[in-house]
Amino acid sequence: MDNRFWSARVLALEPYEPGEQPRMENLVKLNTNENPYGPSPRVLAAIRDAAGDNLRLYPPPDADPLKAVLASYHNLDTAQVFVGNGSDEVLAHVFQAFFAGRRQVLFPDITYSFYPVYCGLYDVGHRRVPLNGDFSIRVEDYQQPNDGIILPNPNAPTGCALPLTGIERLVVNNPDALVVVDEAYVDFGAESAAGLVDQYDNLLVVQTLSKSRSLAGLRVGFALGHRGLIEGLERVKNSFNSYPLDQLAIAGAVASFADEAYFRQTRDAIIASREVLARELAARGFEVLPSAANFIFVRHPDYPGADLARLLRERKIIVRHFAKPRIENFLRITVGTTEQNQRLLTALDVILPG
Ligand SMILES: *Cc1c(COP(=O)(O)O)cnc(C)c1O
């Protein structure tokens, strides 16, 4: 490969590996935590309405209609809201704006694997704080000198949630460090810290419409925080891409918050399916970590995770396996529709000798 024009920074990068998106008929795709239900019909109608002559114009650079909706949904001012092209982009800007060049940013040893990637991209020194043996987060472990803390709540890929009191203790115990809570899965059963951003200027909450609002394909994420933090993010965004959200994304995202009934109904269905799936997997001998997300993290005492993932794939069921220390025998399984979950269980009944 000809990489002679690559900068030293790019040569050293270890990019994130997204879960695969195979196009295959009859596939049960439980590998990237997508919502098994489609978006609200009102979202689709709004996108269709927005697809017109107006596309010749640039979108509003700050996606003002969406900011207004998010601010009112979370009882905040629009100056406390930042929006981006998926929360991955929001997180990238967070690393650039607040962590770049710093020495000691903390995150769990088992967590969203994009964080170390951003550290490479933005030259961030970091330390991984080991999770407890039961894969929970111990807040006291973050009582050490640091230049910032980032963690998902619920954590990924474990699905384990920290109660809001734990998040607040992190924020209070580290008044001179920014605490970023990545709430990609919060709607599936954890407590959001969004209600605390008015009170603490060192707390930033990041959310996405990709999971609980079924809009991974639209690419919309946002951050809530003190206006000084939002201003910092805007500076990065306006030095990078003035129009990260296109007109269709803005229209679809706004409409999503206008159909709260659909949101609740699909979310509740996923939570109910998760509980059934967790029970059924436990009955088949799996250890199932307590999940507050739309996926479950499981391991079987007798079968290596990589083998199980391969055997499931042979039956057209794909789940996520991470070949990483401490979790190499786990599978992260997205909660699907009742039918998808049943196909998984039926396949396991063939794979695992009863
Ligand atoms: C899915 C996910 C994201 C990214 O979501 P997008 O908004 O689709 O970019 C961020 N953080 C965690 C922990 C996730 O699992």
Side-chain angles (χ1 to χ4, degrees), residues 47-304:
I47 292 172
R48 272 192 294 268
D49 285 350
D53 237 21
N54 256 9
L55 283 177
R56 70 187 180 80
L57 300 173
Y58 282 106
D62 294 321
D64 311 289
L66 178 57
K67 273 196 180 182
V69 163
L70 291 169
S72 118
Y73 190 83
H74 289 285
N75 265 318
L76 296 166
D77 193 86
T78 52
Q80 295 168 293
V81 182
F82 178 78
V83 296
N85 188 237
S87 62
D88 283 340
E89 184 187 81
V90 174
L91 291 166
H93 289 348
V94 166
F95 275 76
Q96 167 99 296
F98 309 119
F99 296 158
R102 301 206 191 268
R103 309 239 56 83
Q104 185 92 319
V105 170
L106 306 179
F107 47 80
D109 63 338
I110 296 162
T111 196
Y112 189 35
S113 36
F114 231 131
Y115 303 158
V117 173
Y118 293 135
C119 287
L121 183 59
Y122 296 118
D123 188 24
V124 181
H126 57 280
R127 170 179 285 189
R128 296 166 193 260
V129 182
L131 296 178
N132 280 330
D134 66 357
F135 298 95
S136 63
I137 287 171
R138 194 166 35 221
V139 167
E140 294 68 38
D141 293 347
Y142 292 78
Q143 284 295 95
Q144 53 172 302
N146 71 76
D147 299 314
I149 296 168
I150 181 162
L151 76 175
N153 193 39
N155 196 11
T158 63
C160 302
L162 199 59
L164 188 56
T165 49
I167 297 288
E168 187 165 17
R169 264 191 296 139
L170 270 180
V171 173
V172 170
N173 291 348
N174 295 277
D176 296 319
L178 176 63
V179 177
V180 180
V181 187
D182 177 356
E183 295 189 337
Y185 302 102
V186 74
D187 293 327
F188 297 106
E191 300 169 277
S192 175
L196 297 179
V197 305
D198 243 349
Q199 203 176 330
Y200 300 105
D201 65 2
N202 64 323
L203 168 65
L204 189 77
V205 173
V206 178
Q207 291 193 7
T208 176
L209 278 66
S210 295
K211 295 5 189 295
S212 59
R213 289 182 185 269
S214 217
L215 289 171
L218 204 63
R219 314 303 305 127
V220 183
F222 60 95
L224 308 171
H226 194 265
R227 49 197 77 220
L229 296 173
I230 302 306
E231 186 66 39
L233 290 171
E234 298 288 358
R235 286 172 75 94
V236 172
K237 172 246 173 195
N238 288 320
S239 308
F240 179 82
N241 177 3
S242 315
Y243 308 103
L245 264 70
D246 61 70
Q247 294 188 27
L248 307 186
I250 295 170
V254 165
S256 157
F257 284 91
D259 196 352
E260 203 57 9
Y262 184 88
F263 163 70
R264 292 216 180 100
Q265 186 195 324
T266 48
R267 177 203 57 191
D268 292 349
I270 291 167
I271 292 172
S273 298
R274 177 186 71 210
E275 297 311 305
V276 174
L277 186 58
R279 256 198 324 274
E280 292 292 331
L281 289 171
R284 286 161 177 81
F286 283 90
E287 176 192 353
V288 183
L289 298 193
S291 171
N294 68 337
F295 58 85
I296 51 181
F297 205 47
V298 302
R299 80 177 142 191
H300 198 285
D302 307 327
Y303 292 87

